[in-house]
Amino acid sequence: MVFYRLAFKPAIGLYGQHDPSAALFEDGQLVYAIEEERLSRRKHAVGAFPRNAIQACLDYRDLSLSDLDDIVLPYDPSLQWKILPHYLETALSADNWLKRFVFLGDTIVTQVRGQMYPTRQIENKLASIGTPVPPISTQPHHACHAASAFHPSEFEEALVLTIDAKGEYDATTVWHGTPDGLERIRTYPHPNSLGLFFAVVTEYLGFRMFNGEGKVMGLAPYGRPNRTIESALRDVIETGADYDVTDLTNQWGTDAGVEQLESIFDRPRRKTSGAFTQWEKDLALTAQSLLEETVVDLVETYCRKIGTNNVALAGGVVLNCKMNQQIINLDIVDDVFIQPVANDAGLALGAGWLDQSPSAVDQMSTTYFGPSYTTSTIKQRLEANKIEYTEPDQLERTIAQRLAEGSLVGWFQGRLEMGPRALGNRSILADPRTADSRDRVNEHVKHREGWRPFAPSLLETASTEYLGTEQSSPFMITTSTVPSERTDELKAVLHPADETTRPQTVNDDQNPRYAKLLREFEKITGVPVLLNTSFNDHGEPIVTTPQEAIKDFYGMGLDYLVLEDVVVKK
């Protein structure tokens, strides 16, 4: 008998607010996973139960809910009592009696539900999909993050760090990963949260938490060291392995922290669009530097205490690729595995793996866990919409030629990626050699701020030549400094302020068709690199279906659309 497990992350009630997802495991092996946003078409699917993602998992193996052997949720609501004093303090500090009464009532109801009926809300939701509902178990949030990082790393032993805004009660957790599993070494409880610290700065700079932190990271290299800003921040936070940011994060959400920054700097939060001032760029650089300083010290301190040179990372803060590179560069660190679905969507993966032996989990080398579509299905869709297409004999060669001539290409093939990065299956591609490519994609395709950089995909065999390292980077979750003799070939994929890049290395085992396209582009141009950005318009999730790809193709400044074996020209 096959054992089927469904793990999913809701974003309702006791189970967080954003990035719901679901994953299906067959005899312990991950066979399918998808984020709810890719199906609901709402970015981050805030406040959603992942009904679509759950159904997609079931459909992949033609299952009913009752065919599942068990269900695992990556939250343990019964643990939330550990930060009850924080909730009560927040409730009692509200600015009027009505708010205090409502917040206090909500806190009490939440605690009672968490202790007495932790899964009832989920059971009721699942019953609308099918009955009987299989047995449901809950696992701690940060333990699931930790398993998502350590179990597929193939490390025998490692320091495991999980860093986000908040789990049930923890914000940063230090683990020791061994063949026997995970041992919790230290917990930094909420609200002492690096995720919330960076979110406060994000909101102060006019972006939105859980969505704009990457923009702050991208803005940081435009900044200059500013002793006044740094001194002001160091007066209210402590960095390093014993960090403390609670002066900025102690109230619920980010509003109180933003108000404190307004007071500290005697400047209002940014509310208007337009060019950033140099002061705002300097603040982004300072916040990024303090985050890096803290996490680097955490890694150095606990690598020594545990006695390991391997590091595994997960949690939303770990999407900060510049911070990750600082960890990789440490002398004490030999090897690093970073969960590519580091945000809350990756919790479903860790929940499915947590009770397994780490040695039983396959090494994670791709994120292609979602749906795929056949060429015949795609042709039927195109013909139904009376859209002309061709089917070139040498598709990769044909598209490489168009890219070399300056065309912008939507590239749709294989299984949908999971996580925030497009890795060659739902991508927009362009020639990396000119700044004009970058500017055209920003302005006419992605419709986003012109200062934001793009990333490259390159053949893994070219890593040393173009990245100055033999290290593979299959997930676009670290940065590299491009050797000076190669920067002229990669103008479209360098950060304009510091000439770093956020690479994806590609080999034939991970993605044979994409690797072939890169080789064909190299034959024509001498450069085994392409600009690769996610196939979506500004503010929407990455496309999932051929129909969505067709819609975006005609709504964006793309020249060609590749759908499996067929090509559409605008």
Side-chain angles (χ1 to χ4, degrees):
M1 291 288 291
V2 177
F3 185 93
Y4 285 108
R5 164 173 288 174
L6 179 71
F8 66 90
K9 192 273 180 186
I12 58 171
L14 304 169
Y15 295 89
Q17 300 172 328
H18 56 90
D19 295 312
S21 63
L24 181 67
F25 296 81
E26 187 176 87
D27 288 336
Q29 300 301 305
L30 175 65
V31 294
Y32 191 94
I34 190 168
E35 290 137 291
E36 179 70 13
E37 68 162 27
R38 305 293 170 82
L39 301 169
S40 70
R41 309 309 301 160
R42 290 194 301 115
K43 191 75 170 175
H44 299 298
V46 175
F49 181 76
R51 182 186 180 93
N52 295 302
I54 290 168
Q55 192 62 57
C57 288
L58 296 174
D59 291 346
Y60 184 70
R61 284 292 191 253
D62 194 23
L63 301 173
S64 299
L65 195 70
S66 59
D67 294 322
L68 300 173
D69 292 278
D70 70 1
I71 291 172
V72 187
L73 305 176
Y75 274 86
D76 184 350
S78 67
L79 296 174
Q80 291 197 5
W81 67 268
K82 292 190 175 187
I83 54 170
L84 180 59
H86 167 68
Y87 285 125
L88 293 176
E89 181 181 349
T90 300
L92 295 173
S93 65
D95 55 14
N96 64 64
W97 70 268
L98 181 59
K99 287 183 180 179
R100 288 194 290 270
F101 179 77
V102 171
F103 205 131
L104 193 60
D106 287 346
T107 298
I108 293 170
V109 169
T110 297
Q111 290 298 322
V112 171
R113 284 179 178 171
Q115 296 300 316
M116 301 184 66
Y117 314 107
T119 64
R120 178 169 293 179
Q121 185 181 20
I122 302 302
E123 291 167 2
N124 291 338
K125 292 284 187 181
L126 288 172
S128 68
I129 297 175
T131 55
V133 175
I136 300 175
S137 62
T138 62
Q139 295 283 9
H141 179 101
H142 271 253
C144 294
H145 270 318
S148 80
F150 180 63
H151 284 54
S153 70
E154 289 207 329
F155 292 148
E156 283 287 318
E157 182 183 33
L159 163 68
V160 185
L161 275 182
T162 57
I163 315 171
D164 63 10
K166 181 178 79 69
E168 297 87 2
Y169 67 97
D170 35 11
T172 299
T173 310
V174 181
W175 308 81
H176 185 194
T178 71
D180 294 328
L182 293 158
E183 177 190 2
R184 187 186 289 253
I185 303 298
R186 182 174 181 180
T187 295
Y188 298 75
H190 179 82
N192 192 16
S193 167
L194 294 174
L196 280 180
F197 158 69
F198 211 73
V200 166
V201 176
T202 298
E203 293 271 351
Y204 181 75
L205 286 171
F207 301 122
R208 294 293 171 262
M209 68 182 297
F210 303 132
N211 189 53
E213 286 85 351
K215 297 177 184 179
V216 176
M217 179 190 70
L219 185 65
Y222 294 99
R224 296 191 290 258
N226 186 315
R227 291 184 179 179
T228 303
I229 293 175
E230 181 178 347
S231 177
L233 282 177
R234 287 191 185 278
D235 282 345
V236 293
I237 70 168
E238 296 178 18
T239 60
D242 295 317
Y243 80 84
D244 187 348
V245 296
T246 52
D247 277 357
L248 282 180
T249 61
N250 200 41
Q251 295 297 313
W252 183 256
T254 58
D255 285 347
V258 171
E259 289 171 4
Q260 188 168 356
L261 291 184
E262 290 177 321
S263 175
I264 290 168
F265 296 127
D266 194 25
R267 290 170 176 259
R269 71 188 76 188
R270 180 185 175 91
K271 294 182 179 179
T272 60
S273 58
F276 284 91
T277 65
Q278 188 59 51
W279 187 91
E280 290 166 332
K281 297 173 186 177
D282 295 350
L283 174 60
L285 174 64
T286 305
Q288 176 70 26
S289 298
L290 295 177
L291 175 68
E292 291 176 6
E293 177 184 314
T294 297
V295 177
V296 161
D297 195 41
L298 277 167
V299 171
E300 289 184 317
T301 298
Y302 285 97
C303 276
R304 291 191 183 97
K305 285 187 177 182
I306 291 172
T308 182
N309 303 108
N310 297 323
V311 179
L313 303 167
V317 174
V318 173
L319 293 176
N320 191 303
C321 58
K322 287 189 174 292
M323 179 193 79
N324 295 340
Q325 195 59 43
Q326 294 300 317
I327 295 170
I328 290 169
N329 290 342
L330 289 173
D331 290 338
I332 200 171
V333 173
D334 289 340
D335 203 357
V336 177
F337 177 80
I338 305 164
Q339 169 52 245
V341 196
N343 62 350
D344 275 6
L347 287 166
L349 308 183
W353 286 324
L354 182 58
D355 67 356
Q356 297 189 55
S357 167
S359 62
V361 177
D362 291 338
Q363 183 181 23
M364 191 171 175
S365 59
T366 77
T367 63
Y368 309 129
F369 305 138
S372 61
Y373 300 85
T374 65
T375 297
S376 61
T377 298
I378 291 166
K379 286 180 178 180
Q380 290 172 9
R381 172 61 62 182
L382 292 170
E383 290 164 3
N385 287 295
K386 296 181 172 55
I387 296 173
E388 294 183 2
Y389 61 86
T390 60
E391 196 167 357
D393 291 334
Q394 296 182 309
L395 182 142
E396 294 83 5
R397 176 76 177 180
T398 300
I399 296 304
Q401 184 65 53
R402 301 290 86 78
L403 287 163
E405 293 167 355
S407 294
L408 305 181
V409 176
W411 179 260
F412 182 107
Q413 60 143 327
R415 297 185 69 176
L416 172 68
E417 302 96 332
M418 193 181 190
R421 312 291 182 225
L423 299 174
N425 281 9
R426 303 289 188 276
S427 292
I428 291 169
L429 307 178
D431 189 334
R433 297 174 294 169
T434 67
D436 179 63
S437 286
R438 177 195 67 215
D439 296 340
R440 287 174 60 215
V441 176
N442 259 331
E443 182 176 357
H444 301 298
V445 178
K446 299 291 282 190
H447 307 122
R448 66 179 202 175
E449 303 93 337
W451 54 266
R452 292 173 61 187
F454 287 108
S457 296
L458 71 154
L459 290 172
E460 189 177 275
T461 52
S463 312
T464 302
E465 186 179 358
Y466 283 87
L467 305 177
T469 177
E470 295 181 0
Q471 177 187 346
S472 64
S473 302
F475 301 126
M476 265 188 199
I477 202 163
T478 64
T479 61
S480 296
T481 300
V482 176
S484 58
E485 64 270 20
R486 292 299 179 189
T487 55
D488 283 347
E489 299 174 17
L490 303 180
K491 290 180 180 178
V493 293
L494 294 178
H495 196 299
D498 63 7
E499 295 198 328
T500 61
T501 196
R502 186 188 69 201
Q504 175 202 6
T505 58
V506 182
N507 63 42
D508 284 313
D509 290 335
Q510 294 159 343
N511 196 324
R513 171 167 267 184
Y514 197 36
K516 185 177 181 181
L517 177 66
L518 286 161
R519 283 194 296 270
E520 293 292 346
F521 188 77
E522 181 183 24
K523 290 177 185 177
I524 297 167
T525 66
V527 178
V529 185
L530 288 170
L531 181 156
N532 170 18
T533 187
S534 56
F535 198 160
N536 61 285
D537 206 344
H538 181 69
E540 73 172 16
I542 294 172
V543 300
T544 298
T545 67
Q547 186 67 20
E548 290 157 7
I550 293 166
K551 176 185 72 69
D552 273 8
F553 172 64
Y554 284 108
M556 305 163 94
L558 295 171
D559 302 301
Y560 290 88
L561 173 61
V562 180
L563 297 161
E564 291 297 341
D565 298 328
V566 303
V567 179
V568 179
K569 179 182 178 181
K570 191 174 291 181

